[in-house]
């Protein structure tokens, strides 16, 4: 009927939408009457989910040249126009084109549209053209548009027939095959009978069906078959298309789509109230099994062992007892992993064990029939688990409050997936993402990197903004494990340090507040934390603790009580393996607390040689240039601090090298082997120090500040040291800096970008630096000229974390990622570099420390004991009552 322009209201200084009746239609009395009818209809309606009408009038259009702006000037013989609210967002039709909406969005928007229809109907206005293209989705919710075909007397003239059909749309590929408005017309409209509010209700049912499924309720290859379907056929129940849909919502839609208006809902108000009940009831409204990867394996991933069958009975009894209001009993059982899958809960799969808030679902990482590691989903009252499509390589999953969606990290992004079956949606960049929290207002908190503060983003995606900032004065290098408290405004998170040991005062649990940088210290620990059943759950010395917590005062109460011992803990990620739901379920995994590392020689082909030294908690390792001595970083299991030890390889003798009260690490040898530069952390102070290897000389402080810094490589000419400096503001994450060892020793940046860079390593001739970076969205290894400027070359192609040069300068060894240990030939021609094809040597697993011997032919690797993935998971129902019973018995 018209054209719509974005315009500027110069009187009130606001952006508006101007709808103009096109010149061809302006000459028609019928269309002009319709245009006036739209103005009158909108003017009667004041509702937050109906587009606002600001003005109506007539004008001429003036434009001096093509491309000039159009001005509206009052004049006789002018065209009609409406000035309306300008809406930023997308139409519901555009949103549905990307797939079905998440259930919580379907219900939310449906309530808003139903409320808008109810307002219109109470004013005697029938829309008659309700369809996805006439609904806008904005930040404030849904907005109902286009009342051009509205009637204020609620009667359609039979004479109008099908010649006065609403706005046309082409939903199929062949232009003109089908008129889109047919898809949403009630049978009485097609039969030219009277239309009333119930006609809009039929269209609303079509709209709701399409939102929930992504499919039209009625379809046909021709106009005739489409009309026949609307008049006589029933659409497929949405519970068959989206199994997680509550049956109550299916009932609402089916009743909207009844052929006889008398059998439909009789008012939009009743529909809105029914939808509100479904929203409030949540899972109580009834939820079917989730849609998982439909490419089922030939062999079902069956749960083995009789204990698993017991768990299903336990869960069913627990749910039944809760729904019936009867007193719950306490059940305990071991969950056994599916055959060929295993509970992969540490390392790259850390944090994969979760419970949905409603306690119905369990996730963990496992292998599907194709050998791919994905998130596995299992109903607690079921005997089977299935892989979730689209979750390859997913890390640190966390749930939406309604238990219908999962967020996770993969491919350098924060993603979400609806269990109803829609594909993953990217929400934000997260090169090294850590787990997060999700509140009922659709705000997600997450850590995009291992060395940044926490950020927040909408569950619908958008620009992420800082929620916390690292405090360098406290020695903090990371904020992670954010999780919301019940009010959705306050949240818990762990602030920690990568140095200083597990018992550093920098490792602590805080309460943060949305929209504020203020925070409140709760306790000291290096662990994930969550709120459940009136308690904070966290790990302390391998013991899972429950500490009473007052959510009103935001304070801990009394003393913590132990729940279980020997909890499996991932020291690399500062995370323990446990999860809890809102209905009293608790799961955790126990495992050996022996974290000792065994050093041994390995060839590039994977052949294992003799062990070196005794097992210990080894960290960074560095050989002297002649290969006769090894500097070792070793953690003291009692204090959690680290010290440097000097190991004589030929004599098999280890002597302590540093004696400071804090933690020392990241040793780097001088080119002549006479001295070592290392980092030290004492409280909040982070320093670089130099110490001679022989003699009793004192340490020399090279750099001292509260900024995190770790040396990585000493230039062959002895003049520079490359080190990594953490950016606590989160703007550049971690950067590569150069410390001159001559002159005034003023450090300068070598690489300072919005991305993270790490592990710089000088080439044997000192002209190039090898380093790691996440600028591509995942970890890769690059080469750049030193001191610069110049371009850079990407060395790895399938992901890698670290790289070193062989002494001949003609080959690079890279490792990390999914592609194992590789060597890559390199040829330097002036200022250009030519890289050859990589050679894969071996994939080493469970490596926590390692270095290349100066001869370039063998590796010294430190490996932890193989982590068994088939260790059962313990499940406890009504865990708080169990805790109280045991505590009372102990008294």
């Amino acid at each position: 009927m018209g054209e719509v322009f974005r315009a500027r209201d110069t009187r009130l200084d606001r952006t508006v939408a101007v709808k103009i009746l096109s010149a061809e239609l302006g000459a028609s009395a019928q269309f002009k009457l319709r245009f006036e009818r739209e103005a009158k209809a909108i003017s009667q309606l004041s509702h937050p989910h109906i587009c606002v009408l600001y003005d109506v009038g007539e004008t001429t259009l003036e434009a001096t040249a093509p491309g000039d702006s159009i001005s509206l000037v009052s004049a006789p013989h002018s065209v009609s126009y409406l000035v309306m609210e300008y809406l930023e967002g997308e139409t519901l039709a555009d949103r549905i084109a990307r797939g079905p909406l998440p259930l919580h969005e379907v219900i939310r928007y449906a309530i808003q549209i139903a409320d808008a229809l109810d307002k219109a109907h109470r004013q005697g206005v029938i829309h008659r053209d309700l369809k996805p293209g006439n609904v806008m989705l904005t930040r404030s919710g849904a907005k109902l548009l286009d009342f051009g075909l509205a009637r204020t007397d609620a009667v359609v003239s039979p004479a109008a027939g099908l010649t006065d059909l609403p706005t046309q749309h082409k939903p199929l590929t062949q232009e003109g095959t089908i008129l889109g408005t047919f898809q949403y017309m009630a049978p009485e409209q097609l039969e030219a009978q009277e239309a009333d509010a119930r006609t809009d209700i039929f269209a609303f049912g079509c709209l709701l069906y399409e939102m929930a499924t992504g499919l039209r309720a009625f379809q046909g290859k021709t106009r005739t078959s489409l009309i026949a379907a609307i008049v006589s056929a029933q659409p497929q129940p949405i519970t068959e298309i989206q199994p997680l849909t509550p049956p109550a919502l299916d009932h609402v839609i089916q009743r909207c789509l009844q052929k006889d208006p008398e059998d439909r809902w009789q008012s939009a108000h009743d529909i809105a109230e029914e939808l509100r009940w479904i929203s409030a009831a949540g899972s109580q409204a009834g939820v079917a099994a989730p849609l998982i990867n439909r490419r089922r394996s030939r062999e079902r991933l069956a749960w083995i062992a009789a204990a698993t069958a017991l768990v299903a009975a336990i869960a069913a009894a627990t749910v039944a007892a809760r729904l019936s209001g009867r007193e719950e009993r306490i059940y305990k059982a071991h969950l056994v992993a599916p055959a060929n899958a295993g509970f992969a809960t540490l390392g790259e799969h850390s944090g994969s064990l979760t419970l949905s808030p409603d306690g119905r679902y369990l996730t963990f990482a496992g292998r599907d029939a194709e050998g791919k590691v994905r998130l596995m989903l299992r109903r607690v009252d079921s005997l089977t688990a299935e892989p979730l499509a689209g979750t390859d390589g997913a890390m640190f999953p966390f749930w939406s409050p309604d238990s219908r969606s999962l967020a996770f990290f993969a491919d350098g992004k924060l993603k979400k997936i609806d269990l109803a079956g829609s594909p993953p949606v990217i929400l934000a960049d997260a090169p090294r993402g850590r787990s997060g929290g999700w509140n009922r207002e659709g705000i997600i908190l997450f850590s995009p990197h291992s060395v940044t503060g926490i950020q927040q983003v909408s569950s619908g995606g958008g620009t992420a903004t800082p929620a916390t900032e690292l405090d360098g004065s406290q020695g903090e290098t990371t904020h992670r494990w954010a999780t919301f408290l019940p009010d959705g405004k306050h949240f818990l998170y762990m602030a920690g340090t990568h140095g200083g040991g597990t018992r550093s005062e920098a490792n602590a649990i805080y309460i943060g507040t949305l929209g504020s940088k203020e925070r409140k210290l709760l306790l000291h620990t290096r662990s994930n934390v969550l709120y459940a059943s009136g308690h904070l759950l966290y790990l302390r010395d391998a013991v899972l603790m429950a500490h009473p917590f007052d959510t009103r005062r935001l304070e801990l109460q009394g003393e913590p009580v132990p729940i279980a011992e020997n909890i499996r803990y991932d020291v690399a990620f500062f995370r323990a393996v446990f999860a809890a739901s809102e209905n009293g379920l608790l799961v955790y995994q126990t495992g050996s607390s022996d974290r000792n590392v065994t050093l041994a020689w390995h060839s590039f082909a994977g052949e294992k040689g003799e062990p070196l030294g005794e097992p210990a908690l080894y960290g960074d390792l560095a050989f002297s240039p002649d290969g006769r001595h090894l500097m070792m970083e070793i953690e003291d299991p009692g204090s959690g601090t680290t010290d440097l030890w000097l190991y004589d390889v030929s004599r098999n003798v280890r002597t302590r090298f540093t004696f400071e009260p804090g933690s020392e690490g990241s040793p780097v040898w001088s080119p002549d082997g006479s001295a070592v530069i290392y980092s030290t952390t004492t409280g909040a102070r982070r320093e670089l120090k130099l110490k001679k290897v022989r003699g009793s000389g004192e340490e020399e402080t090279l750099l001292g500040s509260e900024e995190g810094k770790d040396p990585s490589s000493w230039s062959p000419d002895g003049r520079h040291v490359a080190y990594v400096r953490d950016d606590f503001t989160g703007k550049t994450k971690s950067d590569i800096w150069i410390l001159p060892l001559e002159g005034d020793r003023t450090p300068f940046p070598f690489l300072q970008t919005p991305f993270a860079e790490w592990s710089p390593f000088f080439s044997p001739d000192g002209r190039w630096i090898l380093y790691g970076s996440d600028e591509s969205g995942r970890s890769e290894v690059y080469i750049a000229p030193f001191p610069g400027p110049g371009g850079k070359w990407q060395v790895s192609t399938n992901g890698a974390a670290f790289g070193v040069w062989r002494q001949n300068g003609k080959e690079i060894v890279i490792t990390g990622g999914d592609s194992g240990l590789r060597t890559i030939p390199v040829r330097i021609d002036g200022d250009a570099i030519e890289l050859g094809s990589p050679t894969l040597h071996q994939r080493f697993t469970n490596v926590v420390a390692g270095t290349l011997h100066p001869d370039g032919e063998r590796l010294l690797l430190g490996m932890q004991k193989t982590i068994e993935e088939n260790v059962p998971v313990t499940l406890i129902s009504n865990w708080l009552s169990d805790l109280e019973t045991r505590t009372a018995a102990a008294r």
Side-chain angles (χ1 to χ4, degrees):
M1 285 177 57
E3 300 170 281
V4 182
F5 296 87
R6 183 174 66 177
R8 192 74 184 165
D9 183 344
T10 56
R11 293 173 300 172
L12 299 179
D13 191 27
R14 63 183 175 185
T15 302
V16 296
V18 177
K19 184 173 183 178
I20 302 171
L21 187 63
S22 62
E24 311 90 77
L25 300 180
S28 167
Q30 178 188 11
F31 283 104
K32 201 163 188 178
L33 180 63
R34 286 186 178 180
F35 203 78
E36 293 172 358
R37 180 188 298 150
E38 178 174 12
K40 291 178 181 179
I42 302 176
S43 66
Q44 299 177 44
L45 306 175
S46 176
H47 191 275
H49 298 293
I50 296 178
C51 185
V52 178
L53 176 68
Y54 293 143
D55 193 14
V56 60
E58 294 185 341
T59 187
T60 56
L61 301 180
E62 290 188 354
T64 58
D68 284 358
S69 61
I70 297 175
S71 60
L72 302 180
V73 182
S74 298
H77 312 297
S78 56
V79 297
S80 301
Y81 71 89
L82 305 177
V83 181
M84 296 178 292
E85 175 185 12
Y86 174 72
L87 302 176
E88 291 188 356
E90 63 179 344
T91 66
L92 181 57
D94 290 338
R95 172 59 187 86
I96 293 174
R98 301 199 306 270
L101 279 68
L103 185 59
H104 70 279
E105 291 185 8
V106 171
I107 295 177
R108 174 190 171 205
Y109 293 139
I111 291 173
Q112 294 169 354
I113 297 168
D115 280 340
L117 284 177
D118 179 53
K119 175 68 174 181
H121 293 166
R122 289 176 185 270
Q123 298 296 115
V125 177
I126 311 302
H127 193 282
R128 296 201 305 163
D129 196 14
L130 182 61
K131 61 183 180 183
N134 284 341
V135 176
M136 281 284 289
L137 302 182
T138 70
R139 291 183 179 179
S140 60
K143 289 275 189 175
L144 189 55
L145 314 175
D146 203 344
F147 283 78
L149 296 174
R151 292 294 300 260
T152 56
D153 55 4
V155 175
V156 175
S157 170
L162 297 182
T163 59
D164 291 335
L165 292 176
T167 309
Q168 294 185 356
H169 180 61
K170 309 179 193 61
L172 300 184
T173 54
Q174 184 177 349
E175 183 173 347
T177 302
I178 274 188
L179 300 180
T181 302
F182 275 103
Q183 305 276 359
Y184 312 97
M185 294 178 71
E188 61 267 25
Q189 278 182 293
L190 295 172
E191 295 171 354
Q193 299 174 8
E194 288 188 355
D196 58 21
R198 296 170 299 181
T199 304
D200 280 350
I201 288 174
F202 185 93
F204 178 77
C206 295
L207 188 92
L208 193 49
Y209 187 98
E210 196 167 337
M211 291 167 64
T213 66
L215 305 172
R216 290 188 171 88
F218 302 100
Q219 302 186 52
K221 295 182 179 180
T222 65
R223 182 182 304 181
T224 302
S225 61
L226 174 59
I227 293 174
I230 294 173
V231 172
S232 60
Q234 293 294 333
Q236 182 182 5
I238 60 173
T239 50
E240 295 182 5
I241 303 172
Q242 301 285 26
L244 271 184
T245 304
L249 180 60
D250 196 17
H251 168 70
V252 169
I253 295 175
Q254 292 296 337
R255 188 170 172 185
C256 286
L257 298 179
Q258 292 300 306
K259 311 304 180 184
D260 188 340
E262 295 294 332
D263 296 332
R264 296 177 201 149
W265 297 97
Q266 297 301 294
S267 74
H269 173 77
D270 291 344
I271 300 175
E273 289 303 307
E274 189 76 5
L275 291 169
R276 288 189 178 93
W277 175 83
I278 295 173
S279 178
S283 60
Q284 303 291 336
V287 179
L291 178 68
I292 44 80
N293 184 4
R294 293 192 178 277
R295 295 171 58 191
R296 298 178 182 271
S297 61
R298 292 185 179 89
E299 297 181 2
R300 299 273 300 174
L301 295 176
W303 290 81
I304 60 176
T308 309
L310 173 62
V311 172
I314 289 171
T318 302
V319 173
R322 179 167 296 278
L323 294 180
S324 66
R326 292 180 295 167
E327 180 182 357
E328 294 180 24
R329 297 183 62 185
I330 300 169
Y331 296 95
K332 300 179 182 180
H334 289 307
L335 302 181
V336 181
N340 303 321
F343 286 124
T345 56
L346 299 183
E348 60 183 323
H349 309 303
S350 182
S352 66
L353 181 68
T354 72
L355 271 175
S356 61
D358 62 9
R360 292 175 178 263
Y361 299 104
L362 180 81
T363 70
F364 61 94
R367 297 187 184 277
D368 62 12
E370 300 172 354
K372 293 182 178 180
V373 176
R374 292 177 173 173
L375 282 182
M376 310 292 287
L377 182 72
R378 179 209 171 197
R379 287 180 64 97
V380 176
D381 59 355
S382 172
L383 297 180
T384 59
E386 298 286 354
L388 277 172
T391 61
D392 298 24
M395 295 180 67
F396 306 115
F398 56 98
W399 288 87
S400 63
D402 61 6
S403 302
R404 299 183 182 280
S405 302
L406 273 169
F408 59 90
F409 301 93
D411 306 318
K413 306 291 183 183
L414 170 65
K415 302 180 180 182
K416 73 172 182 180
I417 187 170
D418 297 319
L419 300 191
S422 61
V425 176
I426 294 175
L427 301 181
D429 290 329
R432 289 187 182 181
R434 300 295 181 258
S435 189
W438 192 335
N439 72 5
R440 296 188 182 279
E441 283 66 50
I443 296 176
I444 288 177
L445 296 174
F446 70 103
S447 301
H449 200 278
S450 60
V451 291
T452 62
I454 294 165
Q455 294 189 356
Q456 71 179 63
V457 69
S458 167
S459 60
T463 302
T465 57
T468 69
E469 293 181 355
L470 297 176
D471 186 350
S473 66
Q474 299 295 321
E476 296 174 3
T477 60
T478 184
H479 287 175
R480 59 182 70 185
W481 315 139
T483 178
F484 278 102
L485 289 170
D487 64 4
K489 179 181 178 182
H490 296 93
F491 57 92
L492 305 165
Y493 69 95
M494 189 207 82
T497 176
H498 289 84
T502 58
R503 298 187 181 181
S504 168
E505 289 294 302
N507 299 317
I509 302 299
Y510 288 90
I511 294 180
T513 306
L514 291 178
S516 172
K517 295 300 187 291
E518 297 296 323
R519 65 180 185 174
K520 180 178 181 178
L521 174 65
L522 287 180
L523 56 97
H524 288 283
T525 186
R526 186 193 265 183
S527 163
N528 45 314
V529 61
L530 61 85
Y531 173 84
S533 304
H535 291 69
L536 296 191
L537 302 182
Y538 58 90
L539 199 70
R540 177 172 288 170
D541 295 330
V543 178
L544 180 60
M545 310 296 292
H547 204 145
F549 183 76
D550 188 331
T551 56
R552 183 171 56 86
R553 297 182 179 180
L554 301 178
E555 294 177 352
L556 293 167
Q557 304 290 316
E559 295 297 324
V561 180
I563 297 178
E565 299 179 348
N566 197 28
I567 300 297
R568 179 162 280 187
Y569 178 75
D570 193 326
V571 66
F573 290 102
F574 317 152
R575 186 179 179 93
V577 183
F578 68 88
S581 68
E582 295 175 356
N583 65 343
L585 288 183
L586 172 69
V587 294
Y588 58 83
Q589 190 179 43
T590 58
S592 173
S593 58
D594 181 11
R595 299 187 289 115
N596 280 339
V597 176
T598 300
L599 298 180
W601 295 103
H602 292 262
S603 71
F604 276 49
E607 298 171 348
K608 185 176 180 179
E610 293 296 320
L612 187 148
E614 297 295 323
L617 297 177
Y618 295 109
D620 290 332
L621 306 172
F623 275 108
S624 60
D626 60 10
R628 297 172 56 188
H629 294 87
L630 177 69
M631 195 63 70
M632 302 172 163
E633 177 187 333
I634 302 178
E635 179 182 333
D636 179 354
S639 65
T641 59
T642 58
D643 296 290
L644 294 180
W645 294 71
L646 182 64
Y647 184 82
D648 188 319
V649 177
S650 60
R651 297 173 54 221
N652 194 25
V653 174
R654 188 178 76 186
T655 57
R656 187 165 175 173
F657 185 69
T658 60
F659 299 87
E660 299 172 60
S663 287
E664 294 79 51
S666 305
V668 175
W669 288 83
S670 63
D672 61 5
S674 64
V676 170
I677 288 179
Y678 58 92
S679 66
T680 178
T681 302
T682 305
R685 189 163 181 81
R686 311 287 294 277
E687 298 177 328
L688 292 189
K689 292 191 174 183
L690 182 148
K691 184 177 181 180
K692 296 292 184 180
V693 176
R694 301 300 176 193
S696 58
E698 295 295 323
E699 304 89 352
E700 177 187 358
T701 299
L702 302 177
L703 283 177
S705 68
E706 294 177 350
E707 296 171 335
K709 55 186 75 68
D710 292 292
S712 185
S713 182
W714 203 322
S715 64
D717 59 11
R719 298 171 56 192
H720 300 94
V721 171
Y723 67 97
V724 179
R725 193 177 84 171
D726 296 330
D727 174 27
F728 292 127
T729 67
K731 295 179 180 178
T732 62
K733 300 173 185 176
S734 58
D735 307 303
I736 295 176
W737 283 66
I738 303 297
L739 173 65
L741 297 179
E742 300 175 344
D744 60 5
R745 295 184 176 180
T746 301
F748 60 89
F750 175 71
L751 280 175
Q752 193 172 27
T753 73
F755 311 103
E757 292 87 24
W758 60 87
S759 300
F761 196 93
F762 282 103
S763 61
D765 62 6
R767 296 181 54 225
W768 307 87
I769 287 183
L770 198 66
Y771 66 95
S773 172
D774 63 7
E775 67 175 76
S776 68
R778 66 178 179 182
S779 299
E780 299 284 5
V781 173
Y782 299 83
I783 298 176
F786 176 78
K792 65 176 182 293
W793 288 261
Q794 182 172 329
V795 178
S796 58
T797 56
N798 295 313
F802 308 101
V804 296
W805 298 80
R806 279 184 163 173
Q807 285 302 313
N808 59 15
K810 297 181 181 180
E811 203 166 39
I812 294 171
V813 181
I814 61 174
T815 187
D818 297 328
S819 301
L821 182 74
R822 287 153 287 167
T823 53
I824 299 177
V826 56
R827 188 172 71 87
I828 300 175
D829 185 7
D831 294 331
I833 284 183
E834 181 179 334
L835 298 167
S837 300
T839 299
L840 173 65
H841 295 279
Q842 185 58 275
R843 290 184 174 89
F844 296 99
T845 59
N846 303 322
V847 176
V848 296
T851 186
L852 177 67
H853 191 272
D855 64 17
E857 300 300 325
R858 48 189 176 145
L859 303 158
L860 182 66
L861 301 180
M863 298 183 179
Q864 282 184 327
K865 182 180 178 181
T866 301
I867 299 171
E868 297 293 335
E869 293 186 352
N870 60 356
V871 176
V873 167
T874 300
L875 179 146
I876 304 176
S877 70
N878 204 11
W879 67 268
L880 183 56
S881 294
D882 175 61
L883 182 64
E884 293 169 348
T885 300
R886 290 191 293 110
T887 303
R891 293 183 184 138

